[in-house]
Amino acid sequence: MPDAIRRSRSETAGRILIYGTLVLFAVYFLVPLFVMVITSVKNMDEIRTGTLIALPQQPTLEPWLKAWGYATIGVTNEGIRGFFWNSIRMVIPAVLFSTLIGAVNGYVLSKWRFRGSDTFFAMLLLGCFIPFQVVLLPMARTLGFLGLSESIWGLVLVHTVYGLAFTTLFFRNYYVAVPSELVNAARIDGAGFFRIFWKIMLPVSTPIFMVTIIWQTTQIWNDFLFGVCFSTGETQPVTVALNNLVNTSSSVKEYNVDMAAAIIAALPTLFVYFVAGKYFVRGLTAGAVKG
Amino acid sequence: MASLVIDNVTKAFGRVQVLKGIDIAVDAGEFLVLVGPSGCGKSTLLNLIAGLESITTGEIRMGDRVVNNIPPKDRDIAMVFQSYALYPNMNVRRNLSFGLETRKVPRAEIENRIQRVAEILQIENLLERKPSQLSGGQRQRVAMGRAIAREPLIFLFDEPLSNLDAKLRVEMRTEIKKLHQRLGTTIVYVTHDQIEAMTLADRIAIMKDGIVQQFDTPDGVYANPANLFVAGFIGSPAMNFIPVSLSRENGHLVAPLVTADGRRFTVPVPADTGALAPEREIIMGIRPENITDFQEGMQSWAHIAALECGVNVVEPTGPDTLVYTEVNQTQIVCRLCPDAAPKAGDTIRLAFDTTKPLFFEPGTGNRIEG
Amino acid sequence: MPTDARQPGLASLLEAALPKVVVAPSFAAMLVFIYGFILWTLYISMTKSTFLPTYDFVGLAQYIKLWRIERWWVACRNLLVYGGLFIFFCTVLGLMLAIFLDQKIRIEGALRTIYLYPLALSFVVTGTAWKWLLNPGLGIERLVREMGWSSFTFDWLVTSEMSIYCVVIAAVWQSTGFVMAMFLAGLRGIDDAIIKAAQVDGAGLTRIYWKIIIPSLRPVFFSAFIILTHIAIKSFDLVVVLTRGGPGYSSDLPATFMYAYAFTRGRLAMGAASAMMMFAMVMAIIVPYLYSELRRKRDA
Ligand SMILES: Nc1ncnc2c1ncn2[C@@H]1O[C@H](COP(=O)(O)OP(=O)(O)OP(=O)(O)O)[C@@H](O)[C@H]1O
Ligand SMILES: [Mg+2]
């Protein structure tokens, strides 16, 4: 039956077209990472003489060691190491605080609503969307006033406060779907506010904790705006340090070191993504708004 | 065990008045059923009794305590929810013990009670399972077990059977009744199923639009409905409502009935009072079992009126056969013995039990006492 | 006499107040750190503050001045170009990839992972990578020349008229996966029965997509548009790393303009005024969106 054959032929062509396009885009998304990795293990001679995608002839870890340990960033010669630890010291408390407070807030806003709680929620929701430029100046003054500018704890405060809107939103939307009858049953069983939270809500919250922690970790680790505005010198997070490294106007540009430093700065979030991608994508759709 | 008094209670959510002055009182150990159509405020009333919502005005008393401002945990009540609300992260044993632990009941006593409740409800072999590993009927049992283990003053049930299939529902209904007879605890039970209400209750409160239409025993609401709504709500198939225009014939007050093919019959109306007088347009209510085939009626009933009419539809149900016909341009249904059942299109001679009709005001729906 | 429990006890009053007490600190923080700060910025934008805030009220003078600054106009024009292209490409490519991925592709999981990983990266990392790829001497230009096209030039990164397009390229690379994920979720949410019904009616696959599926994704288009616009207005890191707003200020965006005036040039009031302009842009998009979302939820 020629008709059927023709049809299946055009179908095959369609499948090839679809697979071709999809693979082509996969390559497009992968190429920058690939180029970063191979550039980071080339020496400068190879970089100057070869092309972007040429494989390294004499792979070397020297750029990595330099990026990590002794590249010049700002006024120090100690590589990105210290800034990397800064980021870790900033991310852990900020994520913990914003997640825990967000969980309790979400619990109240979904299960213990009171007059005005919906207004609070609406105001908070709007707070998710503000461009942070509009709070930078007063925040800088406030941190100075609190003696927290130039300190990691200042950034922890900033990230906790502006993360709250999101974490509260996440938890509230999750807890709304937990049946209120469960809370009522526990109230009748004699449990109070905190006991219900600990014994009933927390045990069913693992997924939303995963989503929120991962979301907050990526957001705070990747932040640049607050870092560049509220820290200087030794207290800067890794993203700011990376920018300083990449954008110094020193005489010799060491692209291999830049790439190694960029990969180092990206490793923690990439690790989280590949280990817990499912939760990452969920957070993305839920918190899509932040950008 | 405690008595329960609901005294002129109202509840408003914002501007929406959901309960409009509820008065109900039951003695200790009674089984009270709240029944009514969806959205009439049954759950809201139950939540007020539980203390999950606050009362707008009025008073609720349990025993001799006014409980208006007492939080749910101190009211000594236990509740079974429609969705069962079993704690998903705890196994059955922990579900049963959670409330007891919160109340600091000694460990040995807790074990004791769990054992006893598990026996009563035959859930001993389920104790270590999580709720997600139970069937619907088993969850229902566990939810009841959780309430029983608490040994409360009052049990509250919010449509506990509505998520079960029909057969299981009937079984559990009987079990709940047995349980009440065994424990003797006061129970407030919400349902929208009038059969559940009739079979379980010592007393029924029939609600509509936030108002108690009638508060009486099952027999009382069945035999003496206070208004059209109650009369139509209780009983299945529902009571027939026939619009009639009363007249006086041969010195007696009668309700004339005209069949579809124009034949005219009369049903005597017992009393001749101010409300029931000639020329009045009223609604006559008669239950399907009070109209049957003529032979049967002659044998069983003392006062009958005869009626000959065409059969529209015949519905066998097994024990009885329902026959649909038309009088005064209204479809009515009669309950016949299957042996006497006609076929659709036949003409049949029916008997009315003339001691049974009830009369209602067409506008207000209120009962007119004869 | 019934025991009188009409007066709630102290303990139960405390218990009832607990939820409010618990959210009170967050509420206070929100009032101060979000709304208070916005008002503060608004006020500063109406003063003559330079390096330090002063509180002499000058009305809208700064705004009038702002709109006379050539650099601000460039930033706004760039935002239009960048935002427009960014939204367009992300939407078209994201939709195409989602539809293709929805054709029962064997390696869907792997492909999705690849499309989405850029989202885990900081814009600073993305910027660094693309700065290298777009490097006029050693990057793509060199690659193409080595492949034999020796006259090929690709020096957008250092060309005033073209540098903003470099930002578009990098931003599209980073965000397309995200839009793809949104559309994919939308496609998976469409009832299969609709497609089957259309097939029974004899419609071809292309026609079904154009006439039924894509139109029913309208809410996703809407959300994607809002989110991408929002990302575009807030874009900052990428520009800083990739072009530092340059050459000159040719690739400035409002966010980098604001940073330059407020933090490096010591023109606080002007920085505040530009921040308020950004705020107004975002609100103009977001408020109607939130309003319609909340109303849709209430109706549902
Ligand atoms: N929290 C609330 N806010 C506003 N209105 C409410 C609230 N809870 C209930 N209502 C309204 O009160 C009315 C009664 O609700 P209720 O849940 O008591 O009905 P019900 O009789 O239990 O119905 P069902 O048989 O469907 O369970 C409904 O119209 C409902 O919309
Ligand atoms: Mg209900």
Side-chain angles (χ1 to χ4, degrees):
Chain A
M1 284 191 275
D3 201 39
I5 292 169
R6 204 177 311 131
R7 177 156 190 171
S8 84
R9 239 188 231 151
S10 79
E11 233 163 59
T12 316
R15 294 302 281 181
I16 291 172
L17 181 79
I18 288 174
Y19 271 93
T21 316
L22 288 174
V23 170
L24 197 71
F25 271 91
V27 171
Y28 162 69
F29 284 113
L30 281 175
V31 157
L33 185 64
F34 171 72
V35 169
M36 278 168 90
V37 172
I38 59 169
T39 307
S40 75
V41 293
K42 287 180 190 172
N43 59 41
M44 277 311 290
D45 282 343
E46 272 190 50
I47 290 177
R48 271 189 290 267
T49 55
T51 63
L52 279 180
I53 54 168
L55 291 175
Q57 300 304 311
Q58 297 151 327
T60 166
L61 282 182
E62 192 48 33
W64 282 73
L65 295 176
K66 182 165 186 187
W68 179 250
Y70 63 93
T72 307
I73 296 173
V75 293
T76 62
N77 291 320
E78 288 168 7
I80 210 165
R81 183 178 43 181
F83 304 103
F84 191 88
W85 292 121
N86 282 349
S87 277
I88 289 185
R89 279 175 21 230
M90 166 184 81
V91 164
I92 290 175
V95 168
L96 279 184
F97 293 150
S98 58
T99 305
L100 288 180
I101 303 174
V104 177
N105 284 349
Y107 169 54
V108 171
L109 292 184
S110 58
K111 293 289 172 257
W112 296 86
R113 290 160 56 180
F114 49 87
R115 185 189 306 230
S117 65
D118 283 349
T119 316
F120 174 38
F121 180 64
M123 287 174 77
L124 208 57
L125 197 60
L126 202 64
C128 291
F129 292 90
I130 60 161
F132 289 128
Q133 276 74 15
V134 86
V135 297
L136 289 180
L137 290 171
M139 196 70 206
R141 304 264 322 155
T142 309
L143 289 178
F145 179 72
L146 295 174
L148 288 175
S149 46
E150 327 283 294
S151 101
I152 301 277
W153 287 105
L155 285 176
V156 169
L157 173 73
V158 174
H159 283 298
T160 304
V161 166
Y162 294 109
L164 269 185
F166 267 87
T167 56
T168 303
L169 175 71
F170 281 12
F171 278 100
R172 187 250 181 208
N173 287 353
Y174 183 82
Y175 286 149
V176 158
V178 174
S180 289
E181 285 197 347
L182 221 49
V183 174
N184 285 344
R187 282 173 69 192
I188 286 176
D189 266 350
F193 181 83
F194 284 112
R195 190 170 157 84
I196 295 175
F197 186 59
W198 281 113
K199 296 282 179 174
I200 313 291
M201 300 304 268
L202 279 191
V204 300
S205 308
T206 318
I208 193 63
F209 266 96
M210 291 293 287
V211 167
T212 312
I213 288 176
I214 286 171
W215 169 263
Q216 282 296 90
T217 306
T218 0
Q219 288 301 311
I220 299 175
W221 182 275
N222 287 342
D223 164 74
F224 177 72
L225 182 63
F226 288 147
V228 79
C229 289
F230 303 136
S231 66
T232 48
E234 295 185 341
T235 62
Q236 287 172 333
V238 70
T239 46
V240 180
L242 175 61
N243 177 51
N244 289 346
L245 175 72
V246 173
N247 275 323
T248 44
S249 31
S250 66
S251 48
V252 200
K253 219 44 241 126
E254 292 179 294
Y255 298 109
N256 49 1
V257 177
D258 288 359
M259 292 305 131
I263 298 173
I264 291 172
L267 274 182
T269 48
L270 276 183
F271 175 77
V272 165
Y273 173 69
F274 283 110
V275 170
K278 187 178 75 172
Y279 295 109
F280 178 78
V281 176
R282 247 198 259 169
L284 212 61
T285 2
V289 286
K290 193 167 181 184
Chain B
M1 233 203 296
S3 62
L4 173 69
V5 177
I6 299 164
D7 188 358
N8 198 17
V9 163
T10 67
K11 174 68 186 173
F13 290 109
R15 244 168 297 151
V16 189
Q17 188 83 5
V18 175
L19 296 179
K20 304 162 187 165
I22 305 285
D23 284 303
I24 291 174
V26 291
D27 297 332
E30 276 195 307
F31 197 127
L32 165 67
V33 173
L34 304 177
V35 65
S38 194
C40 69
K42 309 178 294 287
S43 297
T44 306
L45 181 56
L46 202 67
N47 287 344
L48 292 184
I49 299 172
L52 295 169
E53 303 271 4
S54 62
I55 298 171
T56 306
T57 66
E59 200 171 85
I60 294 183
R61 291 192 294 278
M62 290 178 187
D64 53 7
R65 267 199 320 175
V66 176
V67 295
N68 283 26
N69 286 313
I70 296 180
K73 66 181 163 69
D74 300 327
R75 291 196 180 189
D76 210 355
I77 44 158
M79 189 157 171
V80 178
F81 294 87
Q82 181 172 5
S83 66
Y84 314 138
L86 299 180
Y87 309 127
N89 53 310
M90 304 178 191
N91 65 19
V92 171
R93 183 185 295 280
R94 289 275 295 128
N95 261 285
L96 297 187
S97 65
F98 181 78
L100 301 173
E101 284 164 18
T102 313
R103 278 154 213 279
K104 311 227 162 30
V105 176
R107 196 67 239 175
E109 169 70 11
I110 293 181
E111 288 307 322
N112 224 329
R113 287 203 204 171
I114 291 179
Q115 209 46 50
R116 207 167 57 229
V117 168
E119 263 166 44
I120 295 176
L121 293 173
Q122 293 153 14
I123 52 173
E124 293 117 309
N125 54 339
L126 306 177
L127 285 177
E128 306 310 323
R129 292 208 205 159
K130 287 276 180 71
S132 55
Q133 300 164 317
L134 301 176
S135 71
Q138 290 169 333
R139 282 180 211 183
Q140 217 284 326
R141 278 167 192 276
V142 174
M144 293 210 326
R146 185 169 67 181
I148 296 169
R150 286 267 320 284
E151 298 181 359
L153 286 178
I154 298 183
F155 282 115
L156 306 178
F157 288 81
D158 192 355
E159 308 203 19
L161 304 184
S162 59
N163 283 344
L164 300 180
D165 64 50
K167 186 159 174 289
L168 210 50
R169 199 179 309 166
V170 175
E171 280 173 29
M172 285 310 293
R173 199 169 73 199
T174 320
E175 287 216 30
I176 291 177
K177 184 141 192 170
K178 276 197 232 155
L179 206 65
H180 178 242
Q181 283 162 1
R182 173 170 180 171
L183 301 174
T185 312
T186 316
I187 292 182
V188 182
Y189 185 107
V190 164
T191 177
H192 58 245
D193 177 352
Q194 53 99 11
I195 299 185
E196 253 172 53
M198 294 294 283
T199 48
L200 288 173
D202 291 324
R203 290 213 262 166
I204 300 183
I206 298 164
M207 297 176 58
K208 184 189 164 211
D209 299 336
I211 294 170
V212 174
Q213 305 288 321
Q214 189 168 3
F215 176 53
D216 205 341
T217 60
D219 290 342
V221 292
Y222 192 77
N224 273 310
N227 55 34
L228 267 180
F229 174 76
V230 174
F233 191 81
I234 299 288
S236 172
M239 183 183 275
N240 296 302
F241 295 122
I242 310 165
V244 293
S245 175
L246 297 183
S247 65
R248 190 178 298 279
E249 286 176 19
N250 307 330
H252 295 290
L253 193 62
V254 294
L257 300 178
V258 181
T259 63
D261 44 17
R263 275 173 282 202
R264 189 170 182 282
F265 302 89
T266 56
V267 177
V269 176
D272 193 353
T273 64
L276 294 176
E279 313 299 313
R280 284 225 40 195
E281 307 275 345
I282 58 164
I283 289 176
M284 181 170 83
I286 178 127
R287 294 203 182 272
E289 63 266 33
N290 298 132
I291 314 173
T292 189
D293 76 287
F294 191 75
Q295 294 299 327
E296 173 84 24
M298 279 284 282
Q299 284 160 27
S300 329
W301 299 333
H303 304 278
I304 59 170
L307 188 62
E308 207 161 294
C309 46
V311 174
N312 292 343
V313 179
V314 178
E315 281 180 1
T317 66
D320 309 302
T321 297
L322 303 178
V323 172
Y324 290 81
T325 178
E326 193 183 304
V327 291
N328 289 7
Q329 283 147 19
T330 309
Q331 169 146 296
I332 64 166
V333 54
C334 337
R335 179 172 270 170
L336 269 65
C337 169
D339 302 338
K343 288 192 293 294
D346 290 355
T347 299
I348 187 174
R349 204 166 149 80
L350 295 171
F352 249 71
D353 186 341
T354 57
T355 60
K356 289 294 179 358
L358 305 174
F359 302 96
F360 303 92
E361 296 267 9
T364 61
N366 287 339
R367 174 89 176 273
I368 304 168
E369 299 291 346
Chain C
M1 272 303 288
T3 32
D4 193 33
R6 250 159 290 196
Q7 293 305 312
L10 190 64
S12 67
L13 273 184
L14 272 183
E15 173 97 30
L18 206 49
K20 289 179 209 170
V21 173
V22 163
V23 294
S26 302
F27 183 69
M30 176 193 76
L31 280 190
V32 173
F33 287 99
I34 297 179
Y35 293 94
F37 279 11
I38 292 173
L39 290 179
W40 196 91
T41 304
L42 178 65
Y43 187 79
I44 288 296
S45 75
M46 297 184 173
T47 65
K48 283 197 287 201
S49 307
T50 52
F51 280 97
L52 286 174
T54 53
Y55 298 96
D56 47 342
F57 189 76
V58 295
L60 294 177
Q62 297 291 355
Y63 291 88
I64 295 166
K65 233 192 273 174
L66 177 69
W67 285 101
R68 294 219 182 100
I69 298 176
E70 165 71 12
R71 183 171 175 177
W72 174 251
W73 277 101
V74 170
C76 289
R77 195 159 348 116
N78 278 339
L79 178 60
L80 274 183
V81 171
Y82 159 73
L85 291 174
F86 169 65
I87 293 167
F88 176 78
F89 281 111
C90 281
T91 310
V92 169
L93 295 180
L95 178 61
M96 183 186 78
L97 291 178
I99 290 177
F100 282 9
L101 262 192
D102 198 29
Q103 306 303 316
K104 305 199 169 57
I105 300 298
R106 286 242 185 84
I107 45 172
E108 185 195 316
L111 287 173
R112 245 187 4 220
T113 309
I114 293 172
Y115 295 167
L116 280 167
Y117 89 87
L119 287 162
L121 301 179
S122 159
F123 274 114
V124 181
V125 173
T126 306
T128 307
W130 282 95
K131 196 180 172 76
W132 170 231
L133 288 164
L134 299 169
N135 185 304
L138 300 168
I140 293 172
E141 183 180 281
R142 153 83 69 83
L143 182 65
V144 178
R145 284 188 184 177
E146 292 280 313
M147 280 161 36
W149 184 358
S150 55
S151 63
F152 179 79
T153 37
F154 188 57
D155 55 358
W156 289 5
L157 202 55
V158 293
T159 313
S160 294
E161 299 84 59
M162 304 308 282
S163 55
I164 191 67
Y165 298 100
C166 293
V167 184
V168 174
I169 293 173
V172 168
W173 179 80
Q174 175 137 9
S175 300
T176 298
F178 171 47
V179 183
M180 184 274 307
M182 288 182 71
F183 277 118
L184 198 57
L187 286 170
R188 298 276 147 91
I190 293 176
D191 186 359
D192 255 1
I194 298 176
I195 298 168
K196 287 198 187 116
Q199 272 171 338
V200 171
D201 280 347
L205 205 57
T206 328
R207 208 176 129 78
I208 291 176
Y209 268 95
W210 277 117
K211 295 286 174 192
I212 298 172
I213 298 183
I214 294 180
S216 72
L217 289 176
R218 225 173 69 176
V220 186
F221 277 98
F222 190 53
S223 309
F225 173 77
I226 297 290
I227 291 158
L228 292 172
T229 311
H230 189 241
I231 295 178
I233 296 177
K234 287 167 95 171
S235 288
F236 174 71
D237 338 17
L238 198 54
V239 185
V240 171
V241 179
L242 206 50
T243 68
R244 298 160 90 185
Y249 49 76
S250 60
S251 58
D252 245 351
L253 286 177
T256 54
F257 176 97
M258 185 273 167
Y259 180 76
Y261 272 72
F263 286 86
T264 54
R265 308 180 73 184
R267 305 268 305 272
L268 281 194
M270 188 61 75
S274 60
M276 288 312 296
M277 292 313 303
M278 290 179 65
F279 179 68
M281 292 178 205
V282 171
M283 287 301 123
I285 304 266
I286 290 300
V287 170
Y289 172 70
L290 280 188
Y291 182 74
S292 71
E293 282 287 293
L294 289 179
R295 212 177 46 179
R296 199 161 54 97
K297 284 220 182 89
R298 200 167 310 148
D299 292 348

